[in-house]
Amino acid sequence: MDPDSLQLGTEHLWNWLVRLLSKDSEWLNAKVKFFLPKMDLCSGDKAQDATQGVILQLRRLHAQGRATWQAFIHCVCMELDVPLDLEVPLLSTWGHGVAFPSQLEAGEESQPASQLQHGLKRPYQSCGSSPRPKQCKKQQLELAQRYLKLLKTSTQQRYGSKIPGPGQPLAFHQAYIPPILQWSRTPTPFRTQEGMAPGDPKAEDGTDVSIRDLFSTRADKGPRVTVLLGKAGMGKTTLAHRLCQRWADGQLDRFQALFLFEFRQLNLITRLLTLPQLLFDLYLSPEAGSDLVFQYLEENANGVLLIFDGLDQALHPAGPEDPSPALDLFSSLCRGTLLPGCWVLATSRPGKLPDCLPTEAATVHMWGFDRPRVEEYVGRFFPDQPEQEAALAELRGSRHLQSLCAVPALCQVTCLCLLRLLPGSPPGQSAALLPTVTQNYVQMLSTLGPRGYLPPEALLELSEVALSGLQTGKVIFSVGDIRPPTMAFAAALSLLTSFCICTGPGHRDTGYAFTHLSLQEFFAALYLMTSPKVDGNALAGHITLSSRWVLRTKARPGLLDHLPTFLAGLASRACRPFLSLVAQRDEMWVSARQAVVMQALRKLAARRLTGPKIVALCHCVGETQEPELASLMAQSLPCHLSFHNFPLTYADLAALTSILVHRNAPIHLDFEGCPLEPHCPEALVGCEQVENLSFKSRKCGDAFAEALSRSLPTMGSLKKLGLAGSKITARGISHLVQALRLCPQLEEVSFQDNQLKDWAVLNIVEVLPCLPQLRKLDLSRNNVSVSTLLRLTKVAVECPTVRTLQVREADLIFLLSPPTKTAAELQGAPDLQGNAGQREEAQSRSLTLRLQQCQLRVHDAQELIAQLQEGPRLDEVDLSGNQLDDEGCRLMAEAASQLHIARSLDLSDNGLSVHGVHCVLSAASMCRTLAEVHISLLHKTVVFTFAPEQEERKGSWDRTALPVSLTCQMPSEPPPHPAAIRLTHCGLQAKHLEQLCRALRGSCHLGQLDFSGNSLGDEGVAQLAQLLPGLGALQSLDLSENGLSLDAVFMLTPCFSTLPWLLHLDISSDSQRVVLRGDRRGRDHLAGGSLPEFPAGAQFSAFYQRCVPRSLCLRQCQLEPLSLACLCETLKKCPGPLEIKLSCEVLSDQSLETLLHHLAQLPQLSLLQLSQTRLSPKSPLLLADFFSLCPRVQKVDLRSLCHVTLHFRSSEEREGKCCGRFTGCGLSQEHVEPLCWLLSKCEDLNELDLSANMLGDDGLRCLLECLPQLPVSGSLDLSHNSISLESVLGLVKILPSCLRVQEASVNLGSEQSFWIHFSRQEEARKTLRLSQCNFGPEHVSRLATGLNQALKLTALTLTRCCLGLEQLTRLLSLLRWPVGLFSLRVEEPWVGTAGVLALLEVCTQASGNITEISISETQQQFSLQLEFPRQENPEAVALRLAHCDLGTHHNLLVWQLMETCARLQQLSLSQVNLCDTSSLLLQSLLPSLSELKTFRLTSSCVSSEGLAHLISGLSHCHHLEELDLSNNPFVEKDTEALMTVLEGMCWLKRLDFSHLPLGSSALALLSQGLSHMSVLQSLRLSRNGICDVGCLQLLEALRAASSLKELGLSHNQIGDFGAQHLAAILPALPELRKIDLSGNGIGPAGGVLLVESLALCKHLEELMLGYNVLADVTALRLAQRLPHHLRVLHLPSSGLSLEGALLLSQALDGCPYVEEISLAVNSLATGVPHFHQGLPLLRQIDLVSCEIDNHAAKPLAASLVLCPALEEVLLSWNLLGDEAAAELARVLPRMSRLKKMDLEKNQITACGAWLLVEGLAQGSGVQVIRLWNNPISPDVAQHLQSEEPRLDFAFFDKQPQPPRGS
């Protein structure tokens, strides 16, 4: 086209455009305002007419640049009705930059520069370009007033137009409803203004928060800073602009100047910025005199308000190391370094606030809309009445829609959508189309779209811009960032807002931003879902959850925080058509994208997340509208869900509730430290899954409580409610109380730390009768007065469900339990609902009352007593820490007997004086249930403890049915409970004693008396010794820490004779301990505290009271001869038995002699103990001499010259063995002779222990020389005396001269043991055991020489003595005895590797006849027996080869063995590998053994060929009397071949084929062989697989064995049929003594027949029928026909019950020969053996797993006592408890031979175990009591075992082995 035509066409378009815009000037003004945000449309040159005005506006738009002009042209074509024939050339000519209209170019140069600035700005003047001129004050004032007027006028013009101003929110000129404002932190008080202007923010939580209140702090100096916190969409920016409008309208008249800045714009400034530049260059410049105006502002700073919007966007935009200049300026303003005294208001999303904020800054939380605000907003949004009612109906009918509208920004979006949806939708349908936030935005786009059309390209491009901005942190875009068509589309839908941005003086531009940040996030999510450039991994990578711990850690909230929520919303099925439209793809492609998001959400839903992430995920899951995903998340939530320290809104809780409705299990919700929207509890309405609900936040107030009260009645599963740390007042409490009345299911309610006043607390407790299931009411840390407290005690007394009222300082807690009788139960008897019902209820419940530190006084105590006297029984009353003084304490003590207190009365720390002590004691002594009084004035302790009342104790006495029955009949009434009086650290002196004792005499039964920590002195002790008899029988008296001297001991020792109850006097000088006790029980010393009082314990103490000796324990005292003599004199009248325990630092020889001299004059003395006392080296001789000085001494034990123990016989015991132990006393050679001389005067010295001394070889030699003169009859211990090998060789020489020596053992290894055992008569045979003696070759000849001279030494054992093969050969060759048998055993490691041949060669070198050889390679033992002199025809040769491989031998050795073993009588091979060569050897050897009587081959490996050789050899041994081939792994074929050996063996007496497979053929051969064995005495065939048919065949062969004594057929399967045939043949076996039929499947029928037949076996001694189901009928028949000579009866697991066991026990009672009884694994229960006559020889009784409980314990213990020979009692795996333990402990001292008692796996606690300890302490010989797996804690078990090592709690039995030689 030629230029002329182009010019004509452009002119035509221009004229048409001017005409079009002249018709719609308002639309043009709006677009000019959008593209030119700083332009003032009312200023400048006035156009003559409309056409000129349009041309002027077009020129302004063109002056902005090409991009602005193109975007405007696109808006014209998109929004106005442009014909198609003009739209195409319009876009092609001006819409794509081809040409500019020439009509605009002419006017560009004439455009004034001022038009680019603020509407009323004057030409720019820099604030700092020239020095400030000196002007007068009047001129400064005029300039300032002109500037302030200019500032207000500019603000009025900005907000006066209905067209949205630059940067104003989209809905600024729509209906404005103020959101909820709530004070979060107010360091300085606020003055509330009376009356609020219409539209001001409403008051919340009792604080009248209006716009004026935001700036009404009393701080007159320093910065006045207020921070407004609110989540996105809450209206922070809208409120900031609203403040500007209010100020311009004169409603904020206290401020002369107001400046509003947005940090999103200030962040663009990078250069250094001053405050005048900020105010004048970036906001509004004064007409003149900038310096004077700024000076005026500084002087009147208290009238200046600076508002900074979006503080969260300014926090470190470029990183913490590079803060922005604007933030530096803001920090200076907050600190007061700039414009001091000015007002600063900042808005921010919740986050970590900058450090520049002063601590006194006020914080205000901006929440959203509650329901009234939402309805008010909707009412203003829809001006038409029908539309308004329809919209409100939709809102009220949808809870989800209400939660959306709780956010003001979403409320506007929802109203826009309803505006379009309501006209064409039926009622209720519109709300269904708006289920999520995302779908609200989608619906909004459809609503705003021109003509309902949404161009996909524009949507996608705008979405890409949104995502790019979020990823780079960009929220402000320039005109070049967005293409003109996209800009036009966004402007048409009002998706973008425009504003002027200034980066410096003269540098201004237009910026664009999304109308809200959430809208930008929505478009970013839309791009991620629809763009093909984003793959699945990238899409899933954006599904992340922010932790949102913003209050403490996160300074700047992220721009992408809500992106996952919109992605989840777009993943909903309802959004597929919209996504398909935008992406221009089919729905299958869209569903694949949605599946990626859903999969990522499923992974998050299954994880364990923190509270903030859970809330974020709830929003995401709710947006998806997927019930399956919601259910997955609901089930994955923990049962206890905690939220800490992050803001929560109504929408957050609504999202959480929407997830919880899909949960099956209950959940606990805990909100602590979270700023909560006041009405957010309404979101929990109807949530049945919440079981525990707890809120703890100072942000919660009355509005929160009111909202919560509307939710509580609808939460039917709620059991626990907590509201703590809030600002709730009486108004909020009244709402909650009304709600609590409708929640009868509540079990716990807490109103802690709410600063409640008296009226509110009383209002709460009034609801107690309405909560029948309530267990706890916590009102701690509130403001309660004393008068109200007494009213609360009255409530506790009168309310039937209250069990405890606990008040301590700030604590106030009610503990309750359901009443015993409900109202429904009492309706049947209306007349009983009055006093009778109350009286019964009062008797059935008990009340615990704790009023600690409540400032109670005497008159309060009187009122309290009056209340309690009318109330129920009291369990505990604690009034400690009050101000009762002496009188109040006396009143409470007097009232104690009337109040029926069950446990304790605590009056500690109440100002009790020493003069009031006796008054309190006198008052308390009248109470017969008093158990203990503890008064300590030093520690301010006054505690009264009570025992159960007489009726209750009697009922308990009858119910327990105490098992301990002792010498006297149990009384019908329980004994009175002894009282303990503890008056410690009270400053008592001797002068107070008489008055105190007079008060104590009134006590009904005084038990323990404690005067420790006072100032009685010796004078007080002397006076007390005279007063004690008048106080009755005490259990203990403690006089510790009373400044006593040793003279006090001499005053107290006579009390042994004057006070019958006194058994123990314990005195310690260093610790000032002086205690008089009546018994020595120490159960209270167990780790972990005292044990529970056990009724059997009292009876048990009575049992051993007569056995407990009186003891005097005197520790850490100076024991001089005179003091010792005086002490012994005072003890002469003391009744016995008496124990004296002394300890001091050093005891001289003179003192020891004095002590020993006087001890001989105390016939009642049983024990003297000197512990931790240093003695001289002469003391062993003094103590040895004491054996002759005092014939009653039984044992002298001296250890390390520090510990001495002397045991004495009673005067009745004239004879007995003596024991002397002098260990570690440094005895050397010089002490040996005098010591032996002194000991030789002892008549019967059983044991002598001289171990751990320094005797050495010389001392030992000297001792051995004196040995014949020592009267030792038991043992001599010389261990650890530095003895060498020389002493061992000397012992061999001298041993024959010691006629009474029985055995000597020496170990020179690390153990260093040396024992010599004696007998009372001369011993003909002696044994010597030498271990680790390291014999060398040079010692062998000396050893042999000594052995040749020791003719009476018959046995020698050498264990690890380094005696090699050569030395052993030499030793054997050197041994030359005249006559006799000599046994030699060698235990060396080389024995296991030397081999049999080498050892047999050694045997052939012996000079005597070898009568016995034993080789054990596994045990490394080699032993042989020699007979001297050697004879050519030895009478007996026995060869024992154990664990050997006899596979190879030399022929010469075979012939030597034949010659040596010609008269061999016994050959035993056990656990050997008998190879074929060895079997050939036996085949050759056995025929030559003509006198062989016994052959054993057991548990060995023999091949079939080897077995054939063995059979061949045995077939010649017709004279065998015993054949044992048991436990060999033979096959059935081998067994059958083996049976052929029996042919011709008619002299067999013992035959054992156990564990061999006996088939029918083998059994036939066996039966045939047995038929010829007429002298057979023992037949053992256990586990041979014999059935009933085989049993019949076998038994027929036994008819000829009339001499049979033992028959073992255990663990076969003969059954009742076999038992029947066995019963038929038993009469033919008259000599039968033992029969074992265990585990044979025999039932009651066979059992009865067997028992009847066994009765004919008169000599039967052992009967074993266990593991057969014999039942009681067999037991009955056995009881009737019990064999007279029975020794062993085994019936384990025999199906016996109570009846059968009782019948057996009656039959066994009195049997004189019974030694073992086993009834294990039978259901005996109480049917344990009941003996009246006893079993004199019973050694073991097995009652394991018999279901025996405490009821059977008493008869069981009584029966055990009647068995004096009992050594082992097995009671494990039963139901025995502490009562059974008490019974067993009672009889332990009477069972002298008992070694082991097994009580594993029972129900014995620490109490019962301690009773066993006490029983063992009475002299029992028990070695171990097994207590594994009883309910005793490891700590207590360890302590018990330290007290008594014989208690074994380990899994494995650690029973000590008896010492060798015993």
Side-chain angles (χ1 to χ4, degrees), residues 66-144:
R66 182 186 300 272
T68 303
W69 176 253
Q70 292 175 356
F72 171 72
I73 293 301
H74 278 278
C75 286
V76 171
C77 297
M78 183 178 296
E79 299 184 43
L80 299 180
D81 190 11
V82 179
L84 183 61
D85 58 339
L86 292 177
E87 181 179 349
V88 174
L90 190 62
L91 288 175
S92 62
T93 303
W94 292 333
H96 299 287
V98 177
F100 269 146
S102 58
Q103 292 81 0
L104 295 178
E105 295 176 356
E108 286 181 5
E109 298 298 332
S110 62
Q111 178 68 22
S114 63
Q115 296 300 319
L116 299 177
Q117 311 299 325
H118 194 282
L120 294 178
K121 273 191 175 181
R122 295 298 177 259
Y124 172 76
Q125 296 178 359
S126 178
C127 298
S129 58
S130 60
R132 180 180 297 177
K134 296 183 180 180
Q135 300 174 348
C136 63
K137 204 70 175 177
K138 181 177 180 181
Q139 182 183 5
Q140 179 193 23
L141 184 60
E142 291 177 355
L143 290 173

Side-chain angles (χ1 to χ4, degrees), residues 30-251:
K31 291 304 170 185
V32 172
K33 194 71 174 178
F34 175 79
F35 289 108
L36 304 177
K38 278 295 185 178
M39 184 63 64
D40 183 12
L41 302 181
C42 300
S43 63
D45 300 331
K46 300 293 184 180
Q48 299 298 325
D49 54 16
T51 302
Q52 291 299 322
V54 170
I55 294 175
L56 179 61
Q57 300 283 45
L58 292 177
R59 287 177 176 172
R60 289 171 174 169
L61 287 170
H62 180 264
Q64 285 297 105
R66 182 186 300 272
T68 303
W69 176 253
Q70 292 175 356
F72 171 72
I73 293 301
H74 278 278
C75 286
V76 171
C77 297
M78 183 178 296
E79 299 184 43
L80 299 180
D81 190 11
V82 179
L84 183 61
D85 58 339
L86 292 177
E87 181 179 349
V88 174
L90 190 62
L91 288 175
S92 62
T93 303
W94 292 333
H96 299 287
V98 177
F100 269 146
S102 58
Q103 292 81 0
L104 295 178
E105 295 176 356
E108 286 181 5
E109 298 298 332
S110 62
Q111 178 68 22
S114 63
Q115 296 300 319
L116 299 177
Q117 311 299 325
H118 194 282
L120 294 178
K121 273 191 175 181
R122 295 298 177 259
Y124 172 76
Q125 296 178 359
S126 178
C127 298
S129 58
S130 60
R132 180 180 297 177
K134 296 183 180 180
Q135 300 174 348
C136 63
K137 204 70 175 177
K138 181 177 180 181
Q139 182 183 5
Q140 179 193 23
L141 184 60
E142 291 177 355
L143 290 173
Q145 290 177 350
R146 287 166 56 190
Y147 176 74
L148 295 177
K149 183 178 179 181
L150 179 66
L151 187 63
K152 182 165 292 190
T153 303
S154 171
T155 306
Q156 288 174 344
Q157 291 177 355
R158 183 180 184 186
Y159 296 102
S161 173
K162 292 185 178 181
I163 301 174
Q168 296 178 12
L170 180 65
F172 182 79
H173 292 284
Q174 296 178 6
Y176 177 73
I177 303 300
I180 300 171
L181 292 183
Q182 183 184 43
W183 292 115
S184 177
R185 184 177 70 237
T186 55
T188 52
F190 288 82
R191 292 189 293 265
T192 57
Q193 303 293 327
E194 294 185 0
M196 290 187 295
D200 283 349
K202 295 187 177 181
E204 281 300 326
D205 296 331
T207 304
D208 193 10
V209 185
S210 65
I211 286 183
R212 294 177 180 270
D213 294 331
L214 293 175
F215 316 105
S216 58
T217 178
R218 295 179 180 175
D220 297 328
K221 296 181 180 180
R224 296 128 181 215
V225 182
T226 301
V227 181
L228 195 63
L229 296 176
K231 291 187 177 182
M234 291 299 176
K236 301 182 295 298
T237 302
T238 303
L239 180 60
H241 288 278
R242 186 67 56 177
L243 289 174
C244 294
Q245 182 188 27
R246 296 288 172 83
W247 174 76
D249 293 341
Q251 296 183 24

Side-chain angles (χ1 to χ4, degrees), residues 1569-1676:
L1570 289 175
S1571 63
H1572 303 292
M1573 300 178 188
S1574 58
V1575 295
L1576 187 66
Q1577 297 180 1
S1578 173
L1579 176 62
R1580 296 180 182 177
L1581 296 174
S1582 299
R1583 301 183 187 273
N1584 293 103
I1586 302 174
C1587 62
D1588 51 357
V1589 177
C1591 179
L1592 175 60
Q1593 186 178 4
L1594 183 66
L1595 293 176
E1596 288 297 329
L1598 287 178
R1599 290 185 179 274
S1602 58
S1603 300
L1604 192 66
K1605 297 182 179 179
E1606 178 183 357
L1607 178 60
L1609 296 174
S1610 64
H1611 297 91
N1612 290 290
Q1613 286 298 322
I1614 68 172
D1616 286 340
F1617 182 76
Q1620 179 181 355
H1621 288 282
L1622 179 60
I1625 202 172
L1626 282 178
L1629 305 176
E1631 299 297 327
L1632 191 65
R1633 284 170 170 75
K1634 177 179 179 180
I1635 185 170
D1636 188 355
L1637 300 175
S1638 303
N1640 266 289
I1642 302 174
V1648 170
L1649 293 174
L1650 276 175
V1651 170
E1652 291 180 346
S1653 183
L1654 286 171
L1656 303 176
C1657 301
K1658 302 300 182 180
H1659 301 285
L1660 189 65
E1661 297 178 356
E1662 299 183 32
L1663 177 60
M1664 301 178 182
L1665 298 176
Y1667 305 101
N1668 294 297
V1669 188
L1670 303 178
D1672 290 341
V1673 61
T1674 305
L1676 173 61

Side-chain angles (χ1 to χ4, degrees), residues 215 243 252 255 257-260 301 303-307 343-345:
F215 316 105
L243 289 174
L252 296 177
F255 297 116
L258 186 148
F259 302 89
L260 172 62
V304 178
L305 171 63
L306 294 98
I307 301 176
W343 295 79
V344 178
L345 174 66

Side-chain angles (χ1 to χ4, degrees), residues 409-480:
L410 293 179
C411 187
Q412 179 199 1
V413 174
T414 303
C415 289
L416 287 173
C417 297
L418 289 177
L419 187 63
R420 177 190 175 188
L421 295 173
L422 283 175
S425 301
Q429 187 65 30
S430 300
L433 296 176
L434 304 173
T436 65
V437 176
T438 306
Q439 294 184 43
N440 260 25
Y441 277 101
V442 173
Q443 198 66 244
M444 181 192 71
L445 291 179
S446 301
T447 301
L448 298 177
R451 295 183 291 275
Y453 172 70
L454 296 174
E457 298 84 358
L459 281 173
L460 194 60
E461 185 175 343
L462 187 62
S463 300
E464 185 177 7
V465 172
L467 178 64
S468 175
L470 292 179
Q471 291 176 338
T472 58
K474 188 174 184 179
V475 295
I476 297 178
F477 305 94
S478 63
V479 68

